[in-house]
Amino acid sequence: MRLRIAALVLALSAPAAAAAWKAGTARVAITPSEPIWMAGFGFRNRPSEGVRQSLYAKALALDDGSGKPAVLVTLDLVAIEREMAEAIAARLRERHGLTRDRLLLNVSHTHSGPVAGLVLMPLYELTPEQRDVIRRYTASLIDSVVNAAGAAIADLAPATLEFGQGLAGIAVNRRRVARRSLPGPVDHDLPVLRVRDAAGKVRAIVAGYACHATVLNDYLLNGDWPGYAQEEIEAAYPGATALFVQGCGADANPLPRGSVEAARRYGSILAAGVAQVLASKMKPLDAPLRTAFETVDVPFERPPSREELRARLDDKNVYQRRWAARLLETIEKEGTLPEAYPYPVQVWNFGSGLKLIALAGEVVADYSLRIKARHGWDDTWVAGYSNDILAYIPSRRVRLEGGYEGGEATIYFGRPAPFTPAIEDIIIRKVDELVARSR
C-alpha cells in the first residue's frame, strides 16, 4: 500500500510541473510605411526603395504558474538601443507589472532593416527630413513592441515546453577572410524551444543561431536569412509562430553571400535543422522559471583628449570626423567622457532543463563557447544581440588581435575608446553570478 501511495504521489506530482506552464504569442508588423535609412552597411547613400519581405516584432509570453509572466520579444532589426529598451520596459511594467528581469529583447541583426533609435543618428549623413522619418519610426516601433508583448500576455493559455539542440552549417568566422592565420571559432549549435497547447498543437517554435544576417545589401527592406528561415518554419507548422534568437555571431558571416537565392538557402538550412530537432526526442521543461537581470560596468581604455579629437575633425575618414565631433559635444555637455559602460546580462533558468543566457551587444563566439563549457553544453543557450546593441563585445583574444571586431568598430557606435581586454572576464563573472542566483 505504501509503495502504491508513493507511486500515486509521483504520478500526480510529475505532470503538475509541466502542466503549470501557460504560453501566449503575438506578432506586430514593424515594416516602415515610408522610405527610411537602412542600418548595417555604411556604403548606403539613400533611403530604402521598397519592401522585399515584411518585418515583425514577435512575442512569446510564458507563465510558470506563478502568475508572473515573462516575455521574449524578437525583432527583425539590426539593433535596439538601451534608451529604446528602457522605454519599452517602463511601459510594460506600468501596464502589466512586468519586471525588467522578465522581459528579453533580441534582434535578428538583419542588415536590411531600418535605422531605429536616436542615439546613433549623428553617424549617418541624414537630412532633417530623414531624421524625422527615423524619429517617427522609432516612436511607432516602441508602441508596436509594447502592444505585441501585451497581446502575448493576454493570449496566455495552458502549454507544454520542450527543448532540444541541433547543428547547422551556416556561419564562417569572418575574421579569417582577411587574416587566414587567425583562429576561426564559430558556434554552430541550433537550440530549439517548442511550445505546444493543451491539445498538443504547436503554438511557437523558438530557434537560435549565431551568425550575421548580411547576405543582402541592397535598398529593399527584408529580414535576410533569418526572415526566410522563420517563413519556412511557419509554412511547415501552420498556425505556429516562429521566433529567431540571434546568438554570439559578431565574428561570423554566412558565406558565400550576395543574392536572394543565397539568403533563402541559408534560411532553408536553418529550417531543416529545426525540423530535425523537432523530429527527435526533446526534453520537457519543468517549472519554475527563475530570472535575473543586472548591469555590470565594462571599462573603456584611455579616451582621447580634446586635442586629439580636434585633430580628428580634419580626418579623411568621414566617420572619424563625425565620431570626434560627437565626443567633443559630449565633453562640452558632461565635462568628461565615460570611463565604462553599464553592460546588461540576463538569465532565464527553466527548472532544471535549460539556462537561457542573454548578452548585450555584438558578441563574438568565444563567449558562447566559454559559457557553455562552464555551465553545460546540452542545457545552455547563449544569445547575443539582446537588450542593448551598444558595440562589438570582443573576447580578450579578439581584443588583443585587434581588427574590426577587436576595436576598430568603436567609432561606429560612438563609444570613446575600445573596451579593455578585461571585458571578457568581467562579463563571465557576472554570468556566473546570475546563473548561480537563478538556480
Side-chain angles (χ1 to χ4, degrees), residues 32 35-50 52 55 78 110-116 124 126 134 216-222:
I36 189 170
W37 210 266
M38 297 172 71
F41 291 114
F43 61 77
R44 289 191 176 112
N45 57 15
R46 59 188 185 275
S48 60
E49 297 175 346
R52 176 177 285 118
L55 307 177
V78 76
T110 173
H111 281 46
S112 290
V115 173
Y124 295 98
L126 303 172
I134 294 173
L216 300 171
N217 60 12
D218 55 18
Y219 289 84
L220 297 180
L221 293 160
N222 66 88

PDB file of all heavy atoms in Angstrom, residues 32 35-50 52 55 78 110-116 124 126 134 216-222:
ATOM      1  N   PRO A  32       8.564  49.614 -42.010  1.00  0.00           N
ATOM      2  CA  PRO A  32       8.335  51.057 -42.169  1.00  0.00           C
ATOM      3  C   PRO A  32       7.333  51.352 -43.272  1.00  0.00           C
ATOM      4  O   PRO A  32       7.301  50.662 -44.303  1.00  0.00           O
ATOM      5  CB  PRO A  32       9.724  51.595 -42.520  1.00  0.00           C
ATOM      6  CG  PRO A  32      10.664  50.601 -41.937  1.00  0.00           C
ATOM      7  CD  PRO A  32       9.997  49.271 -42.085  1.00  0.00           C
ATOM      8  N   PRO A  35       9.819  55.482 -47.055  1.00  0.00           N
ATOM      9  CA  PRO A  35      11.254  55.273 -47.253  1.00  0.00           C
ATOM     10  C   PRO A  35      12.044  55.729 -46.029  1.00  0.00           C
ATOM     11  O   PRO A  35      11.773  56.785 -45.460  1.00  0.00           O
ATOM     12  CB  PRO A  35      11.570  56.130 -48.479  1.00  0.00           C
ATOM     13  CG  PRO A  35      10.274  56.208 -49.225  1.00  0.00           C
ATOM     14  CD  PRO A  35       9.212  56.252 -48.172  1.00  0.00           C
ATOM     15  N   ILE A  36      13.030  54.920 -45.639  1.00  0.00           N
ATOM     16  CA  ILE A  36      13.781  55.189 -44.420  1.00  0.00           C
ATOM     17  C   ILE A  36      15.231  54.750 -44.615  1.00  0.00           C
ATOM     18  O   ILE A  36      15.511  53.830 -45.404  1.00  0.00           O
ATOM     19  CB  ILE A  36      13.131  54.449 -43.223  1.00  0.00           C
ATOM     20  CG1 ILE A  36      13.750  54.889 -41.888  1.00  0.00           C
ATOM     21  CG2 ILE A  36      13.225  52.942 -43.395  1.00  0.00           C
ATOM     22  CD1 ILE A  36      12.964  54.363 -40.673  1.00  0.00           C
ATOM     23  N   TRP A  37      16.147  55.378 -43.917  1.00  0.00           N
ATOM     24  CA  TRP A  37      17.547  54.989 -43.988  1.00  0.00           C
ATOM     25  C   TRP A  37      17.701  53.588 -43.415  1.00  0.00           C
ATOM     26  O   TRP A  37      17.095  53.249 -42.410  1.00  0.00           O
ATOM     27  CB  TRP A  37      18.421  55.967 -43.215  1.00  0.00           C
ATOM     28  CG  TRP A  37      19.800  56.086 -43.804  1.00  0.00           C
ATOM     29  CD1 TRP A  37      20.906  55.387 -43.440  1.00  0.00           C
ATOM     30  CD2 TRP A  37      20.197  56.952 -44.862  1.00  0.00           C
ATOM     31  NE1 TRP A  37      21.988  55.766 -44.214  1.00  0.00           N
ATOM     32  CE2 TRP A  37      21.577  56.726 -45.091  1.00  0.00           C
ATOM     33  CE3 TRP A  37      19.528  57.900 -45.648  1.00  0.00           C
ATOM     34  CZ2 TRP A  37      22.302  57.404 -46.070  1.00  0.00           C
ATOM     35  CZ3 TRP A  37      20.252  58.580 -46.613  1.00  0.00           C
ATOM     36  CH2 TRP A  37      21.618  58.328 -46.822  1.00  0.00           C
ATOM     37  N   MET A  38      18.511  52.766 -44.082  1.00  0.00           N
ATOM     38  CA  MET A  38      18.690  51.383 -43.661  1.00  0.00           C
ATOM     39  C   MET A  38      19.980  51.226 -42.856  1.00  0.00           C
ATOM     40  O   MET A  38      20.976  51.897 -43.130  1.00  0.00           O
ATOM     41  CB  MET A  38      18.688  50.463 -44.879  1.00  0.00           C
ATOM     42  CG  MET A  38      17.368  50.493 -45.633  1.00  0.00           C
ATOM     43  SD  MET A  38      17.405  49.592 -47.196  1.00  0.00           S
ATOM     44  CE  MET A  38      17.494  47.892 -46.612  1.00  0.00           C
ATOM     45  N   ALA A  39      19.952  50.339 -41.888  1.00  0.00           N
ATOM     46  CA  ALA A  39      21.080  50.155 -40.969  1.00  0.00           C
ATOM     47  C   ALA A  39      21.959  48.995 -41.418  1.00  0.00           C
ATOM     48  O   ALA A  39      21.505  48.086 -42.107  1.00  0.00           O
ATOM     49  CB  ALA A  39      20.560  49.895 -39.561  1.00  0.00           C
ATOM     50  N   GLY A  40      23.221  49.043 -41.006  1.00  0.00           N
ATOM     51  CA  GLY A  40      24.088  47.892 -41.163  1.00  0.00           C
ATOM     52  C   GLY A  40      25.244  48.057 -42.112  1.00  0.00           C
ATOM     53  O   GLY A  40      26.321  47.525 -41.871  1.00  0.00           O
ATOM     54  N   PHE A  41      25.050  48.759 -43.228  1.00  0.00           N
ATOM     55  CA  PHE A  41      26.118  48.936 -44.205  1.00  0.00           C
ATOM     56  C   PHE A  41      26.375  50.425 -44.404  1.00  0.00           C
ATOM     57  O   PHE A  41      25.474  51.183 -44.773  1.00  0.00           O
ATOM     58  CB  PHE A  41      25.754  48.293 -45.545  1.00  0.00           C
ATOM     59  CG  PHE A  41      25.715  46.789 -45.508  1.00  0.00           C
ATOM     60  CD1 PHE A  41      24.520  46.103 -45.693  1.00  0.00           C
ATOM     61  CD2 PHE A  41      26.873  46.056 -45.290  1.00  0.00           C
ATOM     62  CE1 PHE A  41      24.479  44.721 -45.668  1.00  0.00           C
ATOM     63  CE2 PHE A  41      26.839  44.671 -45.256  1.00  0.00           C
ATOM     64  CZ  PHE A  41      25.647  43.999 -45.446  1.00  0.00           C
ATOM     65  N   GLY A  42      27.631  50.832 -44.207  1.00  0.00           N
ATOM     66  CA  GLY A  42      27.974  52.235 -44.289  1.00  0.00           C
ATOM     67  C   GLY A  42      27.978  52.798 -45.692  1.00  0.00           C
ATOM     68  O   GLY A  42      27.938  54.020 -45.872  1.00  0.00           O
ATOM     69  N   PHE A  43      28.015  51.937 -46.720  1.00  0.00           N
ATOM     70  CA  PHE A  43      28.093  52.446 -48.086  1.00  0.00           C
ATOM     71  C   PHE A  43      26.745  52.903 -48.631  1.00  0.00           C
ATOM     72  O   PHE A  43      26.696  53.553 -49.677  1.00  0.00           O
ATOM     73  CB  PHE A  43      28.687  51.389 -49.022  1.00  0.00           C
ATOM     74  CG  PHE A  43      27.883  50.117 -49.095  1.00  0.00           C
ATOM     75  CD1 PHE A  43      26.718  50.028 -49.837  1.00  0.00           C
ATOM     76  CD2 PHE A  43      28.312  48.992 -48.406  1.00  0.00           C
ATOM     77  CE1 PHE A  43      25.984  48.856 -49.897  1.00  0.00           C
ATOM     78  CE2 PHE A  43      27.580  47.806 -48.462  1.00  0.00           C
ATOM     79  CZ  PHE A  43      26.420  47.735 -49.220  1.00  0.00           C
ATOM     80  N   ARG A  44      25.662  52.568 -47.959  1.00  0.00           N
ATOM     81  CA  ARG A  44      24.356  53.025 -48.462  1.00  0.00           C
ATOM     82  C   ARG A  44      24.296  54.546 -48.393  1.00  0.00           C
ATOM     83  O   ARG A  44      24.695  55.150 -47.397  1.00  0.00           O
ATOM     84  CB  ARG A  44      23.227  52.400 -47.652  1.00  0.00           C
ATOM     85  CG  ARG A  44      23.028  50.903 -47.902  1.00  0.00           C
ATOM     86  CD  ARG A  44      21.725  50.443 -47.275  1.00  0.00           C
ATOM     87  NE  ARG A  44      21.436  49.048 -47.547  1.00  0.00           N
ATOM     88  CZ  ARG A  44      21.428  48.068 -46.626  1.00  0.00           C
ATOM     89  NH1 ARG A  44      21.709  48.375 -45.360  1.00  0.00           N
ATOM     90  NH2 ARG A  44      21.141  46.836 -46.953  1.00  0.00           N
ATOM     91  N   ASN A  45      23.757  55.145 -49.448  1.00  0.00           N
ATOM     92  CA  ASN A  45      23.743  56.613 -49.525  1.00  0.00           C
ATOM     93  C   ASN A  45      22.375  57.192 -49.829  1.00  0.00           C
ATOM     94  O   ASN A  45      22.258  58.341 -50.233  1.00  0.00           O
ATOM     95  CB  ASN A  45      24.755  57.094 -50.570  1.00  0.00           C
ATOM     96  CG  ASN A  45      24.493  56.498 -51.954  1.00  0.00           C
ATOM     97  OD1 ASN A  45      23.418  55.949 -52.212  1.00  0.00           O
ATOM     98  ND2 ASN A  45      25.474  56.599 -52.833  1.00  0.00           N
ATOM     99  N   ARG A  46      21.333  56.390 -49.631  1.00  0.00           N
ATOM    100  CA  ARG A  46      19.978  56.874 -49.831  1.00  0.00           C
ATOM    101  C   ARG A  46      19.020  55.979 -49.054  1.00  0.00           C
ATOM    102  O   ARG A  46      19.398  54.881 -48.625  1.00  0.00           O
ATOM    103  CB  ARG A  46      19.608  56.898 -51.310  1.00  0.00           C
ATOM    104  CG  ARG A  46      19.693  55.551 -52.010  1.00  0.00           C
ATOM    105  CD  ARG A  46      19.502  55.698 -53.528  1.00  0.00           C
ATOM    106  NE  ARG A  46      19.465  54.410 -54.199  1.00  0.00           N
ATOM    107  CZ  ARG A  46      20.533  53.727 -54.591  1.00  0.00           C
ATOM    108  NH1 ARG A  46      21.743  54.207 -54.352  1.00  0.00           N
ATOM    109  NH2 ARG A  46      20.404  52.570 -55.210  1.00  0.00           N
ATOM    110  N   PRO A  47      17.779  56.418 -48.858  1.00  0.00           N
ATOM    111  CA  PRO A  47      16.813  55.625 -48.091  1.00  0.00           C
ATOM    112  C   PRO A  47      16.368  54.368 -48.838  1.00  0.00           C
ATOM    113  O   PRO A  47      16.697  54.155 -50.006  1.00  0.00           O
ATOM    114  CB  PRO A  47      15.643  56.593 -47.882  1.00  0.00           C
ATOM    115  CG  PRO A  47      16.197  57.946 -48.154  1.00  0.00           C
ATOM    116  CD  PRO A  47      17.269  57.766 -49.164  1.00  0.00           C
ATOM    117  N   SER A  48      15.587  53.548 -48.128  1.00  0.00           N
ATOM    118  CA  SER A  48      15.051  52.317 -48.708  1.00  0.00           C
ATOM    119  C   SER A  48      14.189  52.627 -49.925  1.00  0.00           C
ATOM    120  O   SER A  48      13.591  53.710 -50.047  1.00  0.00           O
ATOM    121  CB  SER A  48      14.227  51.564 -47.662  1.00  0.00           C
ATOM    122  OG  SER A  48      13.131  52.354 -47.211  1.00  0.00           O
ATOM    123  N   GLU A  49      14.107  51.635 -50.825  1.00  0.00           N
ATOM    124  CA  GLU A  49      13.375  51.828 -52.078  1.00  0.00           C
ATOM    125  C   GLU A  49      12.242  50.837 -52.249  1.00  0.00           C
ATOM    126  O   GLU A  49      11.687  50.706 -53.333  1.00  0.00           O
ATOM    127  CB  GLU A  49      14.359  51.728 -53.247  1.00  0.00           C
ATOM    128  CG  GLU A  49      15.419  52.827 -53.223  1.00  0.00           C
ATOM    129  CD  GLU A  49      16.466  52.671 -54.308  1.00  0.00           C
ATOM    130  OE1 GLU A  49      16.543  51.571 -54.915  1.00  0.00           O
ATOM    131  OE2 GLU A  49      17.197  53.643 -54.565  1.00  0.00           O
ATOM    132  N   GLY A  50      11.903  50.124 -51.195  1.00  0.00           N
ATOM    133  CA  GLY A  50      10.810  49.167 -51.281  1.00  0.00           C
ATOM    134  C   GLY A  50      10.936  48.097 -50.216  1.00  0.00           C
ATOM    135  O   GLY A  50      11.819  48.153 -49.346  1.00  0.00           O
ATOM    136  N   ARG A  52      11.054  43.913 -49.682  1.00  0.00           N
ATOM    137  CA  ARG A  52      11.153  42.561 -50.213  1.00  0.00           C
ATOM    138  C   ARG A  52      10.429  41.576 -49.297  1.00  0.00           C
ATOM    139  O   ARG A  52       9.888  40.561 -49.745  1.00  0.00           O
ATOM    140  CB  ARG A  52      12.627  42.159 -50.350  1.00  0.00           C
ATOM    141  CG  ARG A  52      12.825  40.720 -50.811  1.00  0.00           C
ATOM    142  CD  ARG A  52      14.296  40.373 -50.997  1.00  0.00           C
ATOM    143  NE  ARG A  52      14.821  40.983 -52.218  1.00  0.00           N
ATOM    144  CZ  ARG A  52      15.796  41.866 -52.259  1.00  0.00           C
ATOM    145  NH1 ARG A  52      16.345  42.293 -51.115  1.00  0.00           N
ATOM    146  NH2 ARG A  52      16.241  42.344 -53.393  1.00  0.00           N
ATOM    147  N   LEU A  55       8.680  42.896 -42.034  1.00  0.00           N
ATOM    148  CA  LEU A  55       9.441  42.796 -40.786  1.00  0.00           C
ATOM    149  C   LEU A  55       8.471  42.703 -39.615  1.00  0.00           C
ATOM    150  O   LEU A  55       7.394  43.295 -39.657  1.00  0.00           O
ATOM    151  CB  LEU A  55      10.346  44.017 -40.628  1.00  0.00           C
ATOM    152  CG  LEU A  55      11.278  44.343 -41.799  1.00  0.00           C
ATOM    153  CD1 LEU A  55      12.058  45.616 -41.517  1.00  0.00           C
ATOM    154  CD2 LEU A  55      12.217  43.185 -42.097  1.00  0.00           C
ATOM    155  N   VAL A  78      18.417  45.525 -37.027  1.00  0.00           N
ATOM    156  CA  VAL A  78      19.856  45.384 -36.838  1.00  0.00           C
ATOM    157  C   VAL A  78      20.237  45.629 -35.388  1.00  0.00           C
ATOM    158  O   VAL A  78      21.210  45.052 -34.883  1.00  0.00           O
ATOM    159  CB  VAL A  78      20.630  46.324 -37.786  1.00  0.00           C
ATOM    160  CG1 VAL A  78      20.597  47.757 -37.306  1.00  0.00           C
ATOM    161  CG2 VAL A  78      22.071  45.858 -37.961  1.00  0.00           C
ATOM    162  N   THR A 110      19.403  41.808 -38.837  1.00  0.00           N
ATOM    163  CA  THR A 110      19.325  41.923 -40.286  1.00  0.00           C
ATOM    164  C   THR A 110      19.894  43.259 -40.735  1.00  0.00           C
ATOM    165  O   THR A 110      19.516  44.315 -40.219  1.00  0.00           O
ATOM    166  CB  THR A 110      17.882  41.775 -40.797  1.00  0.00           C
ATOM    167  OG1 THR A 110      17.865  42.074 -42.203  1.00  0.00           O
ATOM    168  CG2 THR A 110      16.906  42.707 -40.098  1.00  0.00           C
ATOM    169  N   HIS A 111      20.791  43.207 -41.710  1.00  0.00           N
ATOM    170  CA  HIS A 111      21.377  44.431 -42.256  1.00  0.00           C
ATOM    171  C   HIS A 111      20.528  45.006 -43.390  1.00  0.00           C
ATOM    172  O   HIS A 111      20.983  45.890 -44.126  1.00  0.00           O
ATOM    173  CB  HIS A 111      22.801  44.152 -42.745  1.00  0.00           C
ATOM    174  CG  HIS A 111      23.813  44.108 -41.649  1.00  0.00           C
ATOM    175  ND1 HIS A 111      23.600  43.414 -40.484  1.00  0.00           N
ATOM    176  CD2 HIS A 111      25.051  44.671 -41.523  1.00  0.00           C
ATOM    177  CE1 HIS A 111      24.664  43.545 -39.691  1.00  0.00           C
ATOM    178  NE2 HIS A 111      25.549  44.308 -40.294  1.00  0.00           N
ATOM    179  N   SER A 112      19.323  44.497 -43.498  1.00  0.00           N
ATOM    180  CA  SER A 112      18.370  45.047 -44.461  1.00  0.00           C
ATOM    181  C   SER A 112      17.138  45.595 -43.757  1.00  0.00           C
ATOM    182  O   SER A 112      16.045  45.625 -44.316  1.00  0.00           O
ATOM    183  CB  SER A 112      17.970  43.973 -45.486  1.00  0.00           C
ATOM    184  OG  SER A 112      19.053  43.676 -46.341  1.00  0.00           O
ATOM    185  N   GLY A 113      17.317  46.012 -42.518  1.00  0.00           N
ATOM    186  CA  GLY A 113      16.251  46.641 -41.753  1.00  0.00           C
ATOM    187  C   GLY A 113      16.487  48.132 -41.621  1.00  0.00           C
ATOM    188  O   GLY A 113      17.522  48.664 -42.038  1.00  0.00           O
ATOM    189  N   PRO A 114      15.548  48.842 -41.023  1.00  0.00           N
ATOM    190  CA  PRO A 114      15.651  50.295 -40.901  1.00  0.00           C
ATOM    191  C   PRO A 114      16.534  50.723 -39.732  1.00  0.00           C
ATOM    192  O   PRO A 114      16.741  49.974 -38.780  1.00  0.00           O
ATOM    193  CB  PRO A 114      14.200  50.711 -40.643  1.00  0.00           C
ATOM    194  CG  PRO A 114      13.636  49.549 -39.884  1.00  0.00           C
ATOM    195  CD  PRO A 114      14.277  48.320 -40.483  1.00  0.00           C
ATOM    196  N   VAL A 115      17.047  51.934 -39.805  1.00  0.00           N
ATOM    197  CA  VAL A 115      17.668  52.559 -38.644  1.00  0.00           C
ATOM    198  C   VAL A 115      16.561  52.816 -37.620  1.00  0.00           C
ATOM    199  O   VAL A 115      15.515  53.371 -37.951  1.00  0.00           O
ATOM    200  CB  VAL A 115      18.353  53.888 -39.022  1.00  0.00           C
ATOM    201  CG1 VAL A 115      18.839  54.615 -37.773  1.00  0.00           C
ATOM    202  CG2 VAL A 115      19.519  53.639 -39.972  1.00  0.00           C
ATOM    203  N   ALA A 116      16.780  52.381 -36.400  1.00  0.00           N
ATOM    204  CA  ALA A 116      15.810  52.601 -35.329  1.00  0.00           C
ATOM    205  C   ALA A 116      16.550  53.143 -34.119  1.00  0.00           C
ATOM    206  O   ALA A 116      17.610  52.640 -33.760  1.00  0.00           O
ATOM    207  CB  ALA A 116      15.096  51.303 -34.966  1.00  0.00           C
ATOM    208  N   TYR A 124      25.063  58.995 -39.259  1.00  0.00           N
ATOM    209  CA  TYR A 124      24.584  58.868 -40.631  1.00  0.00           C
ATOM    210  C   TYR A 124      24.504  60.252 -41.286  1.00  0.00           C
ATOM    211  O   TYR A 124      24.300  61.259 -40.614  1.00  0.00           O
ATOM    212  CB  TYR A 124      23.201  58.208 -40.666  1.00  0.00           C
ATOM    213  CG  TYR A 124      23.192  56.778 -40.178  1.00  0.00           C
ATOM    214  CD1 TYR A 124      22.825  56.466 -38.869  1.00  0.00           C
ATOM    215  CD2 TYR A 124      23.538  55.734 -41.019  1.00  0.00           C
ATOM    216  CE1 TYR A 124      22.818  55.150 -38.416  1.00  0.00           C
ATOM    217  CE2 TYR A 124      23.528  54.413 -40.582  1.00  0.00           C
ATOM    218  CZ  TYR A 124      23.162  54.136 -39.283  1.00  0.00           C
ATOM    219  OH  TYR A 124      23.155  52.833 -38.839  1.00  0.00           O
ATOM    220  N   LEU A 126      22.338  62.356 -42.831  1.00  0.00           N
ATOM    221  CA  LEU A 126      20.896  62.464 -42.967  1.00  0.00           C
ATOM    222  C   LEU A 126      20.460  63.911 -43.122  1.00  0.00           C
ATOM    223  O   LEU A 126      21.030  64.809 -42.505  1.00  0.00           O
ATOM    224  CB  LEU A 126      20.199  61.863 -41.736  1.00  0.00           C
ATOM    225  CG  LEU A 126      20.509  60.399 -41.405  1.00  0.00           C
ATOM    226  CD1 LEU A 126      19.902  60.026 -40.071  1.00  0.00           C
ATOM    227  CD2 LEU A 126      20.004  59.477 -42.496  1.00  0.00           C
ATOM    228  N   ILE A 134      13.074  58.759 -39.099  1.00  0.00           N
ATOM    229  CA  ILE A 134      13.580  57.815 -38.093  1.00  0.00           C
ATOM    230  C   ILE A 134      12.932  58.067 -36.743  1.00  0.00           C
ATOM    231  O   ILE A 134      12.593  57.116 -36.016  1.00  0.00           O
ATOM    232  CB  ILE A 134      15.114  57.914 -38.008  1.00  0.00           C
ATOM    233  CG1 ILE A 134      15.737  57.437 -39.317  1.00  0.00           C
ATOM    234  CG2 ILE A 134      15.649  57.093 -36.830  1.00  0.00           C
ATOM    235  CD1 ILE A 134      17.233  57.656 -39.410  1.00  0.00           C
ATOM    236  N   LEU A 216      22.200  40.027 -47.877  1.00  0.00           N
ATOM    237  CA  LEU A 216      21.681  41.015 -48.820  1.00  0.00           C
ATOM    238  C   LEU A 216      22.125  42.420 -48.415  1.00  0.00           C
ATOM    239  O   LEU A 216      22.232  42.729 -47.223  1.00  0.00           O
ATOM    240  CB  LEU A 216      20.158  40.929 -48.882  1.00  0.00           C
ATOM    241  CG  LEU A 216      19.625  39.555 -49.343  1.00  0.00           C
ATOM    242  CD1 LEU A 216      18.126  39.469 -49.177  1.00  0.00           C
ATOM    243  CD2 LEU A 216      20.032  39.277 -50.786  1.00  0.00           C
ATOM    244  N   ASN A 217      22.348  43.271 -49.406  1.00  0.00           N
ATOM    245  CA  ASN A 217      22.877  44.604 -49.106  1.00  0.00           C
ATOM    246  C   ASN A 217      22.335  45.686 -50.035  1.00  0.00           C
ATOM    247  O   ASN A 217      22.989  46.697 -50.250  1.00  0.00           O
ATOM    248  CB  ASN A 217      24.408  44.591 -49.162  1.00  0.00           C
ATOM    249  CG  ASN A 217      24.932  44.174 -50.531  1.00  0.00           C
ATOM    250  OD1 ASN A 217      24.190  44.106 -51.506  1.00  0.00           O
ATOM    251  ND2 ASN A 217      26.218  43.880 -50.602  1.00  0.00           N
ATOM    252  N   ASP A 218      21.130  45.461 -50.571  1.00  0.00           N
ATOM    253  CA  ASP A 218      20.574  46.461 -51.478  1.00  0.00           C
ATOM    254  C   ASP A 218      19.670  47.418 -50.703  1.00  0.00           C
ATOM    255  O   ASP A 218      19.863  47.638 -49.510  1.00  0.00           O
ATOM    256  CB  ASP A 218      19.839  45.789 -52.646  1.00  0.00           C
ATOM    257  CG  ASP A 218      18.746  44.818 -52.185  1.00  0.00           C
ATOM    258  OD1 ASP A 218      18.317  44.911 -51.006  1.00  0.00           O
ATOM    259  OD2 ASP A 218      18.315  43.979 -52.987  1.00  0.00           O
ATOM    260  N   TYR A 219      18.661  47.976 -51.362  1.00  0.00           N
ATOM    261  CA  TYR A 219      17.816  49.002 -50.743  1.00  0.00           C
ATOM    262  C   TYR A 219      16.373  48.527 -50.528  1.00  0.00           C
ATOM    263  O   TYR A 219      15.470  49.339 -50.419  1.00  0.00           O
ATOM    264  CB  TYR A 219      17.846  50.272 -51.598  1.00  0.00           C
ATOM    265  CG  TYR A 219      19.181  50.990 -51.540  1.00  0.00           C
ATOM    266  CD1 TYR A 219      20.226  50.603 -52.374  1.00  0.00           C
ATOM    267  CD2 TYR A 219      19.410  52.012 -50.632  1.00  0.00           C
ATOM    268  CE1 TYR A 219      21.462  51.239 -52.316  1.00  0.00           C
ATOM    269  CE2 TYR A 219      20.640  52.658 -50.569  1.00  0.00           C
ATOM    270  CZ  TYR A 219      21.660  52.262 -51.407  1.00  0.00           C
ATOM    271  OH  TYR A 219      22.881  52.893 -51.351  1.00  0.00           O
ATOM    272  N   LEU A 220      16.184  47.217 -50.459  1.00  0.00           N
ATOM    273  CA  LEU A 220      14.862  46.657 -50.187  1.00  0.00           C
ATOM    274  C   LEU A 220      14.835  46.093 -48.772  1.00  0.00           C
ATOM    275  O   LEU A 220      15.681  45.268 -48.401  1.00  0.00           O
ATOM    276  CB  LEU A 220      14.528  45.559 -51.198  1.00  0.00           C
ATOM    277  CG  LEU A 220      14.422  45.995 -52.665  1.00  0.00           C
ATOM    278  CD1 LEU A 220      14.095  44.794 -53.551  1.00  0.00           C
ATOM    279  CD2 LEU A 220      13.370  47.082 -52.835  1.00  0.00           C
ATOM    280  N   LEU A 221      13.872  46.525 -47.979  1.00  0.00           N
ATOM    281  CA  LEU A 221      13.745  46.071 -46.596  1.00  0.00           C
ATOM    282  C   LEU A 221      13.412  44.585 -46.560  1.00  0.00           C
ATOM    283  O   LEU A 221      12.537  44.110 -47.293  1.00  0.00           O
ATOM    284  CB  LEU A 221      12.653  46.871 -45.883  1.00  0.00           C
ATOM    285  CG  LEU A 221      12.953  48.361 -45.672  1.00  0.00           C
ATOM    286  CD1 LEU A 221      11.661  49.130 -45.424  1.00  0.00           C
ATOM    287  CD2 LEU A 221      13.926  48.561 -44.520  1.00  0.00           C
ATOM    288  N   ASN A 222      14.096  43.842 -45.690  1.00  0.00           N
ATOM    289  CA  ASN A 222      13.810  42.416 -45.544  1.00  0.00           C
ATOM    290  C   ASN A 222      14.505  41.878 -44.305  1.00  0.00           C
ATOM    291  O   ASN A 222      15.377  42.537 -43.725  1.00  0.00           O
ATOM    292  CB  ASN A 222      14.242  41.635 -46.788  1.00  0.00           C
ATOM    293  CG  ASN A 222      15.745  41.629 -46.988  1.00  0.00           C
ATOM    294  OD1 ASN A 222      16.442  40.762 -46.469  1.00  0.00           O
ATOM    295  ND2 ASN A 222      16.265  42.625 -47.710  1.00  0.00           N
TER     296      ASN A 222
END
